[in-house]
């Protein structure tokens, strides 16, 4: 039976792009209220603003991958480990250590499946 982690079937080949995208989606979900803060300063409808939040997080993740010497369109396992470590540091300002450990642990399960 398929085991899903954030929608990724772990019984099939897991790719770095899938993991990168899971990190983006997970981060947007976990920090939704923080990402909502600029809403009052921009003139966008709800759909546009939702897209804006994802683009903002994508840029942050891409920046972290580049900071680690990687290519955001072709991240390595090491790049993704670095991203998770940096996001864990950021999340300590907003989340409990238990929540951070739970979600980063699930993402690390996916990263561990990368070759």
């Amino acid at each position: 039976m398929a085991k899903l982690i954030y929608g990724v079937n772990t019984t099939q080949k897991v790719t770095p792009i899938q993991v990168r995208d899971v990190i983006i989606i997970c981060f947007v979900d976990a920090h939704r209220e923080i990402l909502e803060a600029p809403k009052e300063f921009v003139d966008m409808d709800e759909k546009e603003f939702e897209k804006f939040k994802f683009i903002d997080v994508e840029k942050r993740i891409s920046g972290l991958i580049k900071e680690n010497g990687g290519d955001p369109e072709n991240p390595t396992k090491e790049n993704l480990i670095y991203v998770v470590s940096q996001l864990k540091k950021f999340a300590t300002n907003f989340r409990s250590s238990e929540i951070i450990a739970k979600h980063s642990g699930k993402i690390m399960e996916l990263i561990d499946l990368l070759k």
Side-chain angles (χ1 to χ4, degrees), residues 52-97:
F52 168 80
K53 290 188 295 189
F54 274 92
I55 290 169
D56 181 52
V57 172
E58 285 174 348
K59 286 183 178 185
R60 289 176 196 224
I61 303 302
S62 291
L64 289 171
I65 292 169
K66 288 177 185 176
E67 185 178 293
N68 188 246
D71 173 3
E73 295 306 315
N74 191 24
T76 65
K77 182 175 183 175
E78 291 74 23
N79 296 148
L80 296 169
I81 291 169
Y82 178 78
V83 167
V84 170
S85 72
Q86 295 303 304
L87 293 178
K88 282 172 59 176
K89 290 177 189 175
F90 175 82
T92 61
N93 297 306
F94 307 100
R95 300 281 172 257
S96 71
S97 58

Side-chain angles (χ1 to χ4, degrees), residues 2-107:
K3 179 181 176 192
L4 297 178
I5 297 178
Y6 296 120
V8 176
N9 184 341
T10 61
T11 63
Q12 298 177 352
K13 183 180 185 224
V14 176
T15 69
I17 296 297
Q18 285 176 300
V19 177
R20 179 205 62 197
D21 292 349
V22 162
I23 292 170
I24 292 167
I25 292 166
C26 187
F27 193 82
V28 169
D29 280 349
H31 297 280
R32 186 159 302 282
E33 65 276 356
I34 295 155
L35 295 168
E36 291 284 329
K39 190 173 189 174
E40 64 183 274
F41 302 108
V42 295
D43 185 25
M44 295 180 193
D45 64 32
E46 194 63 37
K47 188 175 181 179
E48 287 176 314
F49 190 71
E50 194 65 26
K51 186 175 180 180
F52 168 80
K53 290 188 295 189
F54 274 92
I55 290 169
D56 181 52
V57 172
E58 285 174 348
K59 286 183 178 185
R60 289 176 196 224
I61 303 302
S62 291
L64 289 171
I65 292 169
K66 288 177 185 176
E67 185 178 293
N68 188 246
D71 173 3
E73 295 306 315
N74 191 24
T76 65
K77 182 175 183 175
E78 291 74 23
N79 296 148
L80 296 169
I81 291 169
Y82 178 78
V83 167
V84 170
S85 72
Q86 295 303 304
L87 293 178
K88 282 172 59 176
K89 290 177 189 175
F90 175 82
T92 61
N93 297 306
F94 307 100
R95 300 281 172 257
S96 71
S97 58
E98 294 82 16
I99 295 292
I100 294 168
K102 175 185 173 189
H103 292 287
S104 63
K106 291 287 186 190
I107 292 170

